[in-house]
Amino acid sequence: MESMSVIKAFEREFNLMEEQVEQLRVSCFIENIPLAEAFEQIAVTDENRILRTLSNHLGLPLLDREDYPEKPVLLEGVSMFFLRKHAVLPIQVESDSVRVVVNDPFNLPILNILGSYFVNMKLNLCLGQREEIRTAIDRLYGAAAREAEALSRNGDGGLAAADGFEEDLEHLKGLAQEAPIVRLVNVLISRALDMRASDIHFEPFERNLHVRCRVDGVLYDLDQPPKTMQAAIISRLKLMANLNIAERRLPQDGKIKLKFGNREVDIRVSTVPTIYGESVVLRLLAREGIDYNLDGLGLDRKDLDYIEEIIQRPFGMILVTGPTGSGKTTTLYGVLTKLNSVERKIITVEDPVEYQINGINQIQVKPQIDLTFANALRSLVRQDPDVLLIGEIRDKETADIAIESALTGHLVLSTLHTNDAPGAITRLRDIGIESFLMADSLLAVVAQRLVRILCPHCREPYTAREADLMRLREIIPDLPSVVTLYNKKGCDRCGYTGYKGRRGIFEILPVNEAVRSAIVAGKDAGAISQVAFQLGYRPLLYDGYRKAIDGLTTLSEVLRVTSLS
């Protein structure tokens, strides 16, 4: 049997006595005591020698400190507390296998749990020293797991149950300001920034607190602190945002400004009550590296030239459409950056103001004091602006003022929540805007989505299948018979996700004479798109498929963000 041959190998290597051999066998294979502890029981403490013996006997590679990856693997559903406690660390994930460094390859219950995380994937084991594995976890994923492990050991002596927090606000406030909680929250935010996350979600459930972060539009597990830490963590976040920790029945919003080393980050905080406690979302707005440049959005040369031409018009309205999180604000900020000069007065009305741009007057709406989009705009037109940015057209009153401004000598930029560019016409009609006003005021409608960009270091080319070609030719009929597409793979440079960063895919509906006539005639979005198609308009899928053919993204990613299957 394999277990007995391993014990024999240890017996020869360490010259063990018979009673030591028997105790080692019982500890490792019957009582499931961790390998390092089993050897400590028989007074053998040379861990490196133990692991070398295992490596030689089992044929498993033994990792040195420098063999651990420089960047973390983004894991869904894996608790950092679990990894650190059992000294196991996934270091490479591919399509059909995961490479895991372990300290004890005989701990079958733990390996079975890992197998349940990585269903239908082969576990390729490596060996590593226990503290080196934990040091790598701390380096890659921060100290959050270590803090959670230490605090959970304290039990009731360290942190009270959640109900206790509800009864004693002063005790809760004190706990939220203690060093372990402060470090844990800071580590979670720092890790999320290292992973290029845009949001952190603190989500309470019946038995645990999930902490997830959104990277390139997709959520990944960040940590699962013990449930007993929930109230202290949430209170710490609320204190940082100057929110009322005693108010748990109503939603609250706030802001945090932090500095991590040389990084400055603004954080928008939102809390809402749930049946298991308050859910908190942090929107991370890192100040460094922000470049609102139209050239970097993903527009092709023809569309970019057209946008740069129409934004120089002295008046008219340009709408950007798409769902929440599709990059509309970034596109509009890129336009503002292009227009920002001494000769122009630019005013924005936003909810919220996410980034401050020097030289632009930015106004935050505050519905609680009746400073709405419509009320703000009535005053702003008397401020003699050249360019007006309206964060979103939500109602007829705002739309009326926007169109009136566009018709009276102002360039107006705004957003709408519609699926495509022609749908903006239907949406404006639905809220009560006359067709002739739309036709006279609109310059163009831009629809967009964000797709994840393939990591250039590990993407894998493949020849498009017949089903892929049929789908592509529905939108791009003039394709060659052989087309090369790309799949994601994953490497240490992209955190083994296969993607790194996002870029926009766009469709632009120019409101030219033919489109104006169709709008005035009351035609629906489908008819308007057909008219525009004859003059060069192409739908979102066209740009998305082009980017997939160019190797920037995958076909499945384009279909994901355009809600097609």
Side-chain angles (χ1 to χ4, degrees), residues 261-309:
N262 294 324
R263 294 182 300 186
E264 290 188 1
V265 57
D266 291 333
I267 302 174
R268 206 169 74 226
V269 182
S270 172
T271 76
V272 295
T274 73
I275 59 173
Y276 296 118
E278 287 178 284
S279 174
V280 180
V281 175
L282 308 184
R283 179 80 184 274
L284 306 178
L285 308 169
R287 295 183 188 178
E288 83 282 354
I290 301 172
D291 183 16
Y292 294 114
N293 190 330
L294 283 175
D295 294 337
L297 296 178
L299 290 157
D300 65 30
R301 189 72 252 173
K302 178 183 174 184
D303 289 341
L304 180 60
D305 289 343
Y306 176 74
I307 292 293
E308 289 182 340
E309 186 269 318

Side-chain angles (χ1 to χ4, degrees), residues 203-219:
E203 302 168 306
F205 295 99
E206 182 178 7
R207 299 185 184 278
N208 47 33
L209 173 68
H210 283 186
V211 184
R212 299 191 290 171
C213 65
R214 192 179 297 277
V215 181
D216 293 335
V218 177
L219 282 170

Side-chain angles (χ1 to χ4, degrees), residues 480-518:
S481 57
V482 178
V483 173
T484 299
L485 297 174
Y486 292 82
N487 267 330
K488 66 172 185 174
K489 182 182 179 184
C491 66
D492 58 351
R493 302 193 192 191
C494 61
Y496 296 97
T497 63
Y499 298 101
K500 190 169 185 180
R502 289 190 291 175
R503 195 167 297 177
I505 59 173
F506 299 86
E507 67 179 34
I508 298 179
L509 176 69
V511 183
N512 48 36
E513 286 304 320
V515 172
R516 285 194 187 93
S517 298

Side-chain angles (χ1 to χ4, degrees), residues 187-198:
V187 161
L188 290 171
I189 295 173
S190 180
R191 277 178 52 201
L193 288 170
D194 289 339
M195 295 163 68
R196 301 178 292 105
S198 59

Side-chain angles (χ1 to χ4, degrees), residues 354-368:
E354 292 190 355
Y355 293 103
Q356 291 80 48
I357 304 177
N358 189 39
I360 294 177
N361 300 278
Q362 295 174 272
I363 297 170
Q364 166 83 54
V365 302
K366 296 178 181 177
Q368 60 269 29

Side-chain angles (χ1 to χ4, degrees), residues 185-186 189 200 202 233-243 253-260 264-271 280-287 354 356:
V185 170
N186 288 346
I189 295 173
I200 310 176
F202 294 81
I233 291 172
I234 300 304
S235 295
R236 173 61 186 166
L237 294 169
K238 292 172 73 173
L239 285 173
M240 293 170 70
N242 293 316
L243 301 179
D253 295 296
K255 285 186 177 181
I256 302 171
K257 286 191 176 182
L258 292 177
K259 189 170 184 179
F260 288 94
E264 290 188 1
V265 57
D266 291 333
I267 302 174
R268 206 169 74 226
V269 182
S270 172
T271 76
V280 180
V281 175
L282 308 184
R283 179 80 184 274
L284 306 178
L285 308 169
R287 295 183 188 178
E354 292 190 355
Q356 291 80 48

